[in-house]
Amino acid sequence: MATAQLTAFSISVSARNLSSFEGLRPSNVKFASSFKPLVGVGLPLFRRSFQGLVVKAATVVAPKYTSITPLGDRVLVKIKTVEEKTEGGILLPSSAQSKPQGGEVVAVGEGKTIGKAKLDISVKTGTQVVYSKYAGTEVEFDGSNHLILKEDDIVGILETDDIKDLKPLNDRVFIKVAEAEEKTAGGLLLTEATKEKPSIGTVIAVGPGPLDEEGNRKALSVSPGNTVLYSKYAGNDFKGSDGSNYIALRASDVMAILS
């Protein structure tokens, strides 16, 4: 009898049921991998846990192709190079390098049609933009990483190296997040891990608004300077050069104006 010993439980496997494997002899086999049983099924099923594993390979464009032309309302962005060192010159491991969310527009599509209106892409080639964290399809082209994404996935235009200068597009709202509470109501100091993520902040800038069926912009209901309450898990988070926290989200994720 060959016995397979697994973490937290064991199952017995009969060698007679494995006769198709020539040379198999009864023995004790130990598995070091952390298999977990799926609860609530008739037969023992297992799954292996790969915590923190994210695989997102870029599509490689062969050198014989010399250009990429986006279609419709899509935009081709050359991704900003990842910082490999800290400001102090310390080399960062790849796991500690923050994924870039910005780059330069290198090509745009012909635009889109809303109702009877034909609208051009609102960003031009050469513009530095910031986009949603998980947007688009990554491609490796001409020795550099690029991203093909829809215009609506572009959060805003950033002409400097400081995120506080972001100019939101369309229905996006850019907010400076309020400081998290340092103490509980009873006066106990909170650690960084126990501080509740704020969902209140001050509006820094707003986009021109969404387009209606006639192709006209509809102004947003919030303005710079408003203190707002927004959905807790919405938008894209950013850290300013001064250490302040910012968030860019859609106007529909703003729930109320506080006064």
Side-chain angles (χ1 to χ4, degrees):
M1 184 73 71
T3 302
Q5 296 182 356
L6 294 94
T7 305
F9 67 97
S10 63
I11 60 172
S12 296
V13 181
S14 173
R16 290 191 300 271
N17 296 330
L18 301 174
S19 56
S20 60
F21 292 89
E22 294 183 1
L24 180 65
R25 296 180 179 178
S27 62
N28 289 332
V29 182
K30 293 185 178 180
F31 294 89
S33 301
S34 58
F35 289 90
K36 297 180 180 179
L38 294 180
V39 180
V41 294
L43 296 173
L45 297 178
F46 311 99
R47 66 186 178 190
R48 179 176 292 180
S49 299
F50 295 95
Q51 295 183 352
L53 178 63
V54 176
V55 178
K56 187 180 181 183
T59 301
V60 179
V61 178
K64 66 180 180 179
Y65 301 107
T66 58
S67 67
I68 297 178
T69 303
L71 298 178
D73 61 343
R74 290 179 175 81
V75 176
L76 179 66
V77 175
K78 184 177 180 180
I79 300 174
K80 185 178 179 180
T81 305
V82 177
E83 293 292 338
E84 296 184 352
K85 293 183 179 181
T86 66
E87 292 182 0
I90 299 174
L91 190 65
L92 292 170
S94 55
S95 59
Q97 295 171 11
S98 58
K99 178 185 175 183
Q101 279 182 252
E104 179 184 349
V105 176
V106 294
V108 299
E110 67 273 18
K112 60 183 178 181
T113 301
I114 296 182
K116 297 181 180 180
K118 179 71 168 59
L119 303 172
D120 294 331
I121 302 293
S122 60
V123 293
K124 308 299 181 185
T125 56
T127 304
Q128 297 291 328
V129 297
V130 174
Y131 47 80
S132 296
K133 192 168 188 178
Y134 300 106
T137 299
E138 192 170 332
V139 295
E140 186 179 323
F141 170 68
D142 195 24
S144 300
N145 288 332
H146 293 70
L147 198 67
I148 300 176
L149 68 164
K150 287 183 172 291
E151 179 191 14
D152 192 52
D153 289 325
I154 297 176
V155 174
I157 296 172
L158 186 61
E159 298 172 342
T160 71
D161 291 329
D162 198 335
I163 193 64
K164 70 179 179 60
D165 299 320
L166 181 73
K167 298 177 180 177
L169 294 178
N170 301 316
D171 62 340
R172 295 305 205 291
V173 179
F174 188 54
I175 296 170
K176 183 176 182 180
V177 179
E179 295 291 333
E181 292 293 334
E182 299 286 341
K183 296 181 180 180
T184 66
L188 295 176
L189 283 173
L190 294 170
T191 63
E192 289 297 326
T194 57
K195 288 179 183 177
E196 185 176 356
K197 180 182 177 183
S199 54
I200 294 175
T202 302
V203 176
I204 303 298
V206 299
L211 293 164
D212 61 21
E213 294 182 356
E214 301 297 325
N216 299 314
R217 295 282 181 184
K218 182 180 179 182
L220 301 182
S221 56
V222 295
S223 304
N226 288 154
T227 299
V228 296
L229 175 68
Y230 54 86
S231 182
K232 198 166 190 176
Y233 300 105
N236 290 266
D237 298 309
F238 301 96
K239 177 78 74 173
S241 59
D242 61 350
S244 298
N245 292 314
Y246 297 86
I247 187 168
L249 38 73
R250 295 188 183 277
S252 58
D253 291 319
V254 177
M255 299 184 291
I257 297 174
L258 306 178
S259 59

